Amino acid sequence: MSPSVMGATGSGKTTFINLASGSNLRIGRGLKSCTSVVQIAQAFELDGRSVTLIDTPGFDDTTKSDSDILRMIAAFLATAYQSGKKLAGVIYIHRISDFRMGGISTRNFKMFRQLCGESSLRNVVIVTNMWGEVSKEIGEAREQELITQDMFFKPVLDKGALLERHENTAGSAHRILRSIIDNQPLSLQIQRELVDQKMDISQTAAGEELNKELKAQMEKHRKEMRMVQEEMREAIRTKDEETRRELEIETTKLQSEMARIQQDAQKLASRYSEEKEGLEKRMQELSQSAREDAERAGAEYRRQMSALQAQLDMTASTSAAERAELIRRIDELQNRRAHGGGVH
């Protein structure tokens, strides 16, 4: 089972994964992101099932643009889907300590919905965490608002998603994972769009949502630029040099931001293929390395078994205790091999 964990920067995704899996993935401090790439935690066993958690960056990363983030997540999900891997569930983490679900959180959740699509929502768990940072009354009031307001989690919960509280313990993380462990794995909307329908990333629902957001930002900056230019003309007319210099600085900032937004929109489509090709190459290298490790382990297993069997054949006349010890070592080696352990 391989659930993906999503949410805003600083929401506690990586901490949740480390608690659940015993991994040591890097954790950002405050709102600084360390998860600027997709990270895969070490596999662990839960109720007899192997679980591998996938840590994804938020769409408010401090080091990468939203276009970069979408491109990375999309390339990873598409590559996994092409390899025959579907997600048993998606966990979306939200801080109950947030005073309100502001613009950044709302944008993250919108992008999350477009990535998943409607048909996979029954495999989604929304997890509220950081309950220790608010009183019980405040936390429960915020939870109620998230559940009942159409602009928050209600539409997703109505379509089968679950809502769970995380108590910042390994036991709590495992309880949440048990709610999806038996799910029938489903493909996400962006996986079907990119792989089955062969869409360009900018044509996907998530790509269109991001482009809509970029267009809104660009229009906002254009309005600001018009206002600054009007103020600049007035400053020149009145020979107000100090105001003119301040407005020149503001103009440069706006021009830089508008250029960044335009570049983000162009990069989304142009660099997705490059990202995916690089990821496919890395996955092929990992598969090859795993095969080579398995071949080496198999050769070592055969060598050790042969040596132990030869010793056993030579001890027909020795003590029962020595024969029993050799048989025990053969059994131990076979058991380790059967359970995927290394040969030492």
Side-chain angles (χ1 to χ4, degrees), residues 96-137:
I96 202 70
S97 56
D98 284 356
F99 177 69
R100 62 188 178 85
M101 193 162 169
I104 289 173
S105 296
T106 303
R107 188 168 89 247
N108 263 286
F109 193 61
K110 270 187 188 174
M111 291 300 296
F112 168 76
R113 285 194 65 181
Q114 301 301 348
L115 286 168
C116 292
E118 301 295 293
S119 62
S120 61
L121 290 177
R122 61 183 180 274
N123 279 11
V124 165
V125 185
I126 297 172
V127 173
T128 54
N129 70 342
M130 302 192 184
W131 282 83
E133 296 184 13
V134 295
S135 68
K136 187 182 176 189
E137 293 74 21

Side-chain angles (χ1 to χ4, degrees), residues 265-281:
Q266 291 166 349
K267 279 196 309 184
L268 180 61
S270 64
R271 295 199 185 169
Y272 166 72
S273 297
E274 184 183 319
E275 183 87 33
K276 190 166 177 295
E277 284 168 14
L279 191 57
E280 285 171 348
K281 185 180 176 185

Side-chain angles (χ1 to χ4, degrees), residues 88 94 101 176 198 212 241:
H94 174 76
M101 193 162 169
I176 290 162
K198 303 192 186 311
K212 190 164 73 177
E241 283 301 305

Side-chain angles (χ1 to χ4, degrees), residues 43 46 92 106-107 125 143 161 166 178 196 222 238 248 278 282 295 313 321-322 329 333:
L46 181 64
Y92 185 86
T106 303
R107 188 168 89 247
V125 185
E143 182 184 57
H166 178 43
R178 284 189 181 97
D196 298 339
R222 282 193 183 117
T238 59
E248 279 179 351
R282 288 197 297 276
E295 285 168 8
D313 293 342
E322 286 179 344
R329 286 169 63 191
L333 191 63

Side-chain angles (χ1 to χ4, degrees), residues 65-67 214 217-218 221 254-267:
S65 70
D66 285 355
S67 293
L214 291 173
Q217 288 178 23
M218 183 66 89
H221 290 323
L254 283 169
Q255 286 171 338
S256 174
E257 184 60 17
M258 288 165 77
R260 182 196 64 76
I261 291 169
Q262 197 166 23
Q263 189 181 37
D264 275 358
Q266 291 166 349
K267 279 196 309 184

Side-chain angles (χ1 to χ4, degrees), residues 12 25 51 60 73 80 86 106 117 137 144 158 194 211 248 253 261 278-279 287 330 340 343:
L25 302 182
V51 181
D60 53 338
I73 293 175
K86 293 182 181 178
T106 303
E137 293 74 21
Q144 193 60 25
D158 287 346
L194 291 170
N211 278 326
E248 279 179 351
K253 282 182 186 174
I261 291 169
L279 191 57
S287 291
I330 288 171
V343 178

Side-chain angles (χ1 to χ4, degrees), residues 206-221:
E208 286 183 348
E209 180 65 37
L210 179 55
N211 278 326
K212 190 164 73 177
E213 177 68 28
L214 291 173
K215 282 177 186 173
Q217 288 178 23
M218 183 66 89
E219 186 53 37
K220 175 175 170 284
H221 290 323

